[in-house]
Structure formats: structure tokens, C-alpha cells
Amino acid sequence: MFYFSPMSPDSVLSAPYVLEYTYRRSVGPVLGRFLAGLRDGRILGVATRAGRVLVPPQEYDPETGEAVGEMVEVSTRGEVASWAWMSEPRPGQPLERPFAWALVKLDGADTALLHVVDAGSPARMRTGMRVAARFRDERKGTIQDLVCFEPVAEGA
Amino acid sequence: MSDVVKGIKVPVRLAYTAIAGRDMTRFYQAIREGKLLGRRCPSCRKVYVPPRGPCPTCGVATVDEVAVRDTGTVTTFCIVNVPYEGQTMKLPYVYAMVLLDGADLPLPHLVQGLEADQVRMGLRVRASWAPEAERPASMEAIRWFEPSGEPDASYDSYREHL
């Protein structure tokens, strides 16, 4: 039950009404290691039998269905494979100022990670641009430990 | 490497603005004054409390405003034994369908003032109103229903209103 407050004497009543589900989920051994890596300021992928490195890691090779092998550390730098500009961020999104959603292919990885690029303006965004991860100072083992990616000079 | 992460918090939050609508606005304004208002269907003559706008059976707008009493009859009920987050009542407690005198459909509310295992179909109850100064524009303007002391209503008196 919720409380109504009048907007004006003759108008209909309205009230904020928030539905909230306080879910927790278990992440499994593979993502569990990936998140522990983020907490340590490192980005881990997983190697398939064919030698591809999946970042973020998956529990099975999406092409063959085979179990994956060892976790592999990749670079915290990479390039933007594709992107879309978010000009009006919504509550709860990674950044409060305009940013780019981006698929970032890190150096050493064969797949791309969906994250955000803090570029300031869409004019600074380009497919193939170089970016570097910015980590939070206080990390807890969640994807939010990675604040965003930032543009860096070509070749960096 | 530090310990593997076992789980993450992934809350889902949906923030709405609820609009009461014309009939429910009247209902909520009246309930703050200690009055219960319903609306009568012009076709089947049933009185809905709280009002619903249209009659769900006939599909026509409910026009006439009808005041009903704050006494009624427990038609059906359940005993809540399961704790959940945010619960304010002490277990076990009773949530009942209360057919207000003058209404044709029961409304759900708490029943207090007797042990849970003493609540029964046909129990006559009266609204326990929150103090007027603290009365919210919501069903919580009535804290709960409690026994009125009248003899139980006969099954025939509410069998058409279950």
C-alpha cells in the first residue's frame, strides 16, 4: 500500500511507486574468477581448446560447446569494435554524463567486452580507436569495478 | 589471485508514478475523513468499494456514489504464517476478505483483536481507524478490522458475495 498526495485540490492523486527485487545471483566458477580478477585490477579471459581467448569468459566454447580451459590474463587496453552514443544517460547507467556504449576488444582477446567509453563527445569516438580501462579505487568484485574505458593515443 | 567471487547483487528496480484516477481519488480523499465511498453499477446494481471506474461484469461506467458503513462480515480469510522482508505484523496474523455493509464485493484487509485461530467466516467486524491526524490517503487509514461483538452473520447473508 502506498500513500497519495494531491497535486492540487481538484486533480487526481498520484504517488511514487517503486517495485524493487533485491536479487542476488551466484556467478559460477568462471565468471567468479573473472570478477575476482577485476577486484585485483586485472582482466581475465578463458582459452578455448582451439586457442581462442574469450573476454568476458564463458563456461563453454560458444562455437563447439566444449568445456573451456585455463583462465588467461589479457591487456587492460584494446580497441573499440563498435559503439553507440548515449546522449542522455538514464538512472543506474555506468556514467551520469553522456558516454558511448562500446564493444571493446582487448589486446590478447578474440572476442569483445560490452562496456562504456568516457569520450566526452561522439566526435571523439571512432571504430578502431584505442582505449584503456579505468578501474575504481575501491573494488568489490563486480563489473562496476571497471568504471569505463578512456580514449588513449594511437599505438598506446 | 584472491578468492573467487561467489555471487553478485543484481537488484531490479522499477520506479513508477501511480495515478489514482478520478474515482479512487474521491475514495482516498473520503477515507482520510473516515468515510468509505463506493460506486454502484447502473446495470447490475452492485456496489464496488473501492470504486473501480467500470463494472468488471457489465463493462459500463459506475456512476452513482454510495457511502457504505465501516462494519462488515468476514467472508473468507487466510492465516499468514510465512515471514517476508518488510513485514510489519507479528506472525501469525489474518488477512481477510471483508464484505462491508452496503457493498457487494468484499475488500481485503487485516483482522486483529482475536487469536488467528478464532477468525471464522461470518465474523462481524468493525474498522479500526488510524487517528485522524495520522490518517493517510490509502487503505491504511483503516489500521485493521476487529470484532464488533455482534453475532456471526449467517452464510446465506454473504453467500452471493464470496
Side-chain angles (χ1 to χ4, degrees):
Chain A
M1 289 182 216
F2 45 99
Y3 297 79
F4 285 78
S5 58
M7 295 183 286
S8 78
D10 298 326
S11 69
V12 296
L13 299 174
S14 68
Y17 184 57
V18 177
L19 271 182
E20 201 159 20
Y21 303 99
T22 55
Y23 293 128
R24 285 183 63 89
R25 59 162 286 199
S26 56
V27 291
V30 174
L31 279 179
R33 289 195 191 92
F34 172 70
L35 295 174
L38 292 181
R39 191 171 54 202
D40 296 339
R42 307 189 305 156
I43 301 178
L44 302 179
V46 72
T48 67
R49 283 191 197 167
R52 277 163 39 92
V53 175
L54 312 178
V55 180
Q58 300 195 36
E59 290 173 350
Y60 296 92
D61 184 333
E63 291 184 357
T64 65
E66 292 173 327
V68 290
E70 295 296 308
M71 302 296 289
V72 181
E73 183 169 356
V74 297
S75 174
T76 58
R77 295 183 170 216
E79 66 179 51
V80 169
S82 73
W83 57 279
W85 191 251
M86 190 78 199
S87 52
E88 293 176 19
R90 297 174 62 80
Q93 290 189 334
L95 295 175
E96 291 180 5
R97 54 186 174 278
F99 63 86
W101 291 110
L103 285 167
V104 177
K105 197 169 150 199
L106 295 165
D107 298 340
D110 292 288
T111 61
L113 169 76
L114 177 64
H115 215 283
V116 302
V117 177
D118 185 15
S121 152
R124 290 190 69 199
M125 291 299 302
R126 187 175 60 76
T127 298
M129 72 190 285
R130 298 286 299 167
V131 291
R134 190 208 306 163
F135 282 93
R136 214 170 285 283
D137 291 335
E138 282 189 21
R139 296 186 295 272
K140 299 174 182 169
T142 74
I143 191 68
Q144 285 86 13
D145 289 350
L146 200 49
V147 179
C148 63
F149 286 86
E150 295 170 318
V152 291
E154 293 299 317
Chain B
M1 199 217 294
S2 54
D3 288 346
V4 169
V5 173
K6 297 250 178 0
I8 54 174
K9 289 180 180 173
V10 282
V12 173
R13 188 171 196 275
L14 304 167
Y16 295 99
T17 299
I19 307 290
R22 190 188 53 206
D23 288 3
M24 283 305 285
T25 292
R26 290 276 304 153
F27 177 82
Y28 284 128
Q29 285 168 338
I31 206 170
R32 295 188 72 177
E33 297 164 12
K35 292 182 218 154
L36 290 162
L37 293 184
R39 294 235 173 194
R40 189 189 301 278
C41 171
S43 174
C44 69
R45 310 299 296 164
K46 280 196 167 77
V47 173
Y48 293 94
V49 186
R52 285 164 169 74
C55 171
T57 307
C58 307
V60 296
T62 52
V63 184
D64 295 337
E65 196 166 84
V66 182
V68 300
R69 294 172 59 195
D70 69 350
T71 52
T73 302
V74 170
T75 58
T76 57
F77 63 95
C78 74
I79 300 175
V80 180
N81 283 294
V82 181
Y84 57 86
E85 195 173 309
Q87 201 169 48
T88 55
M89 304 302 293
K90 187 167 160 281
L91 295 176
Y93 64 94
V94 173
Y95 217 65
M97 297 303 285
V98 176
L99 180 68
L100 295 171
D101 296 334
D104 287 288
L105 264 85
L107 61 80
H109 216 305
L110 295 163
V111 171
Q112 296 277 285
L114 73 174
E115 293 298 322
D117 62 5
Q118 301 297 306
V119 176
R120 55 206 179 263
M121 293 175 76
L123 178 71
R124 292 286 298 163
V125 290
R126 177 186 302 281
S128 169
W129 291 88
E132 191 162 357
E134 304 164 18
R135 223 173 267 161
S138 82
M139 281 308 295
E140 287 171 344
I142 294 174
R143 296 183 299 174
W144 52 72
F145 285 83
E146 55 196 21
S148 69
E150 299 160 272
D152 284 7
S154 69
Y155 180 67
D156 284 344
S157 71
Y158 58 85
R159 63 182 298 169
E160 298 300 325
H161 304 277
L162 294 173

